[in-house]
Amino acid sequence: MVATVSVVLDHTTAAALHDPKDTFKEAVAAFYVQASGGLGDLSAPVLSLTAGDAERPGLLGYIKGLRFIRIEAFDTDAAVTATELLRFGHSWSTGHAIHAARPSAAHPAGRFLLTLTPKVYAGTASKPSTPASSRRIR
């Protein structure tokens, strides 16, 4: 039996998937292909995508249209986490991604946070990973 792993895409990896010229597009797309084959699940926090869309118009709509990426809602629990993280200098986009990756009732062990900027997530109790360091869902 193959174990599946849950992965959260932040705004940087979502943008890489969206941009045909991005050097990390292929690596991020590999996660999508594996999720489409049932080897894991991908999600993307809507607030992270919204912040990313401000820099790369069309990002949110593009990710929303992908069948095997679930968009995470920005609910009250996410707002509480994001507000706490804002006080420590994190952005809205990273705050929602951190919240989505942390342990929860649905994901007691937490989820891997796929990012191109892992240093931004240092000390946040999330498990950041880059596409280059982990080419497939494990």
Side-chain angles (χ1 to χ4, degrees):
M1 181 175 179
V2 176
T4 62
V5 173
S6 296
V7 176
V8 175
L9 301 177
D10 77 350
H11 62 292
T12 65
T13 49
L17 188 59
H18 177 252
D19 184 353
K21 296 178 183 174
D22 194 292
T23 58
F24 289 99
K25 180 181 178 66
E26 189 175 313
V28 178
F31 283 86
Y32 184 81
V33 170
Q34 289 182 353
S36 73
L39 298 176
D41 64 78
L42 294 176
S43 63
V46 72
L47 193 55
S48 296
L49 295 175
T50 302
D53 195 273
E55 294 175 20
R56 294 194 174 162
L59 174 64
L60 179 56
Y62 174 78
I63 298 297
K64 181 180 179 260
L66 295 176
R67 181 177 173 194
F68 297 103
I69 297 178
R70 187 174 55 80
I71 304 295
E72 294 270 333
F74 188 68
D75 60 12
T76 304
D77 290 337
V80 169
T81 300
T83 301
E84 291 169 2
L85 291 166
L86 283 169
R87 290 185 187 118
F88 291 101
H90 290 277
S91 67
W92 284 104
S93 58
T94 59
H96 195 193
I98 292 164
H99 174 77
R102 285 183 173 172
S104 65
H107 301 279
R111 295 185 272 181
F112 287 97
L113 178 57
L114 195 62
T115 182
L116 300 181
T117 57
K119 290 180 182 180
V120 172
Y121 297 98
T124 63
S126 59
K127 299 181 271 188
S129 180
T130 65
S133 68
S134 176
R135 293 234 179 229
R136 62 184 192 87
I137 297 173
R138 298 173 193 197

